[in-house]
Amino acid sequence: MSFHKPVPMTIETDHPAHQRPVLVTGATGYVGGRLIPRLLESGYHVRAIGRSLRKIGSRPWAHHPRLASVEGDLMDRASLENAMAGCGSAFYLVHSMDSAEEDFEAADRKAAENMVGAAAAVGLERIVYLGGLGETQHASVSPHLKSRHEVAEILQSGSVPTTVLRAAMLLGSGSASFEILRYLVDRLPIMFLPRWANTPCQPIAIRNVLTYLEGCLAHEATIGKTFDIGGPNILSYRQLIKIYAEEANLPRRALFPMPFLTPLISAYLLQFVTPVPASIAIPLFEGLRTPVVCRNNDIRAIIPQRLLSCRETMGLALTRIQQERVETSWSDAGALFLPEWTYLGDAEYAGGTIVDCSYRVFLKTTVEDLWHSISRIGGVRGWYFLNSLWRIRGDLDRLFGGIGLQRGRRDPSRLQIGDALDFWRVLEAEAPHRLLLLAEMKLPGEALLEFRITALDNGEVELKQIARFLPRGLGGILYWYAMMPFHAWIFGGMLRAIAKSIDQPILRGPERFFPDDSLSDRPDINP
């Protein structure tokens, strides 16, 4: 357990909610990553808990004087108690959304039980939980919605009062629901809709959700209560499609019913159209089979605000995307762990032979200019060389159940630790010297791709591109050696294209080299 800075326990203010820090779980997730800067702006002291301090530390708000980041895991009660000690309130903003996770109900249950036990042990005053709308008695209720209701029951069964806000679809730039809708309507002029596309839903804008969450700290009338939160419109998914098309200035979409389409089939089909993988889309689509409409609007009198219509929300979200100002994305959430083999000094302990393919070039430029190109790799810009081949690799990945390239990147010019980058994840982004990416595509092993930029004493700048791979079984070894000729061709071409992008000639290279810190530098391993 380690803190980035000492945690202040009090500040001089008359507002009772400001006297003890506010703990935010899910700090780097879609909602938590937007709530924290709002709380800081309002004067709260915030403690952000996460499993990776590096990931929290890369956020724009990470070095705010009223924020302390602490490493902890909701599955580890001791670390949770340490993180929570001294806090007055806590936001519980975590839940499983990946249908590929095994026994997610048990994981959600244990995390909630740990939260209840830790909160009681440290004397927390209140918990605020963002749950889901929908009745568990409905015949089509999804397992994920049941789990979210169970989490609410567990939290409210403890001795610390828990406020539960139940929301349906969250609309905003970067949300999974909005991204599915956006890509679906943008790319398909003709759509075949399942029966559940007519189920009533009451979406809510993410900015309205944030106002309700923050408002719970300032209004004692919310303590220990359950509230439904929703926007002013009750619509079907079919109607949302039509509204989006109008806001995006697209031609009217042709919509045809196809009753036999299930959420499972729909999710697997749509993973070829949207950046959201089937494992995430399945619980979202399953949730659409259940009517999710507010049964009470009591919170509107306690925390008054102007609720944005779905049309307004979509217009604002599109503007954010066009202005490249997406604060957080659905792909931000999740643990960030450096694979064990990347920091062990002996391949024997890493569980296998680590192979690498590394090339470098030397240029007459500056590290800043070179970083400018490296930090913009992927997404719409592509990978500088043979983008069509990268797209084919992404399509194959989607075909075999992977995430493909459609995930893109959150910001076209800035990378932060934990960002999704096509079918990679950013592990390190040390401007202007180093970018380290972890492969998240389907592979018979684990892979890293690294770019290193070094200013040399002779005035040259060295750019290294290092690919490392830990094969799993014979299939992994065969895959690596089959790809070796393509790696040499692609990596050399990428380095030349990167040099061309900054309009600087290559002085030497591209040339093969063996990294000094490589875990496998023998000729028989690296032909």
Side-chain angles (χ1 to χ4, degrees), residues 188-369:
L188 298 179
I190 300 174
M191 282 177 270
F192 296 91
L193 301 182
R195 183 182 293 108
W196 47 259
N198 295 313
T199 305
C201 174
Q202 193 166 354
I204 183 169
I206 181 60
R207 62 179 63 192
N208 289 142
V209 174
L210 298 175
T211 298
Y212 279 138
L213 287 169
E214 182 183 352
C216 286
L217 298 182
H219 295 85
E220 294 188 356
T222 64
I223 297 177
K225 305 288 182 61
T226 296
F227 301 96
D228 293 350
I229 60 173
N233 307 126
I234 298 175
L235 302 165
S236 67
Y237 204 78
R238 176 188 292 271
Q239 290 172 306
L240 289 172
I241 289 172
K242 292 180 179 179
I243 292 173
Y244 176 87
E246 293 169 2
E247 286 301 302
N249 295 316
L250 296 171
R252 185 183 180 89
R253 272 27 195 163
L255 307 178
F256 299 98
M258 188 170 285
F260 65 82
L261 278 179
T262 66
L264 181 63
I265 296 174
S266 301
Y268 280 113
L269 291 175
L270 291 182
Q271 74 171 349
F272 295 100
V273 182
T274 79
V276 181
S279 59
I280 300 294
I282 288 172
L284 292 175
F285 286 168
E286 286 179 339
L288 290 174
R289 295 185 302 178
T290 305
V292 280
V293 177
C294 295
R295 296 296 182 90
N296 71 76
N297 295 310
D298 298 346
I299 198 168
R300 296 185 183 182
I302 302 172
I303 307 174
Q305 61 170 313
R306 191 177 81 82
L307 297 173
L308 299 179
S309 69
C310 288
R311 186 177 295 277
E312 287 178 288
T313 304
M314 291 182 192
L316 289 169
L318 286 170
T319 299
R320 286 276 186 178
I321 293 169
Q322 292 163 2
Q323 294 176 345
E324 300 176 350
R325 295 170 56 205
V326 179
E327 295 175 63
T328 59
S329 170
W330 63 272
S331 59
D332 294 341
L336 182 70
F337 294 115
L338 196 65
E340 185 179 22
W341 57 271
T342 65
Y343 53 84
L344 288 174
D346 194 325
E348 179 182 345
Y349 292 100
T353 298
I354 299 170
V355 291
D356 68 74
C357 181
S358 306
Y359 283 82
R360 64 186 174 188
V361 291
F362 298 86
L363 306 97
K364 195 71 174 180
T365 185
T366 66
V367 292
E368 290 78 14
D369 284 347

Side-chain angles (χ1 to χ4, degrees), residues 15-32:
H15 198 303
H18 289 194
Q19 294 178 6
R20 299 173 70 187
V22 178
L23 180 76
V24 178
T25 65
T28 57
Y30 180 73
V31 177

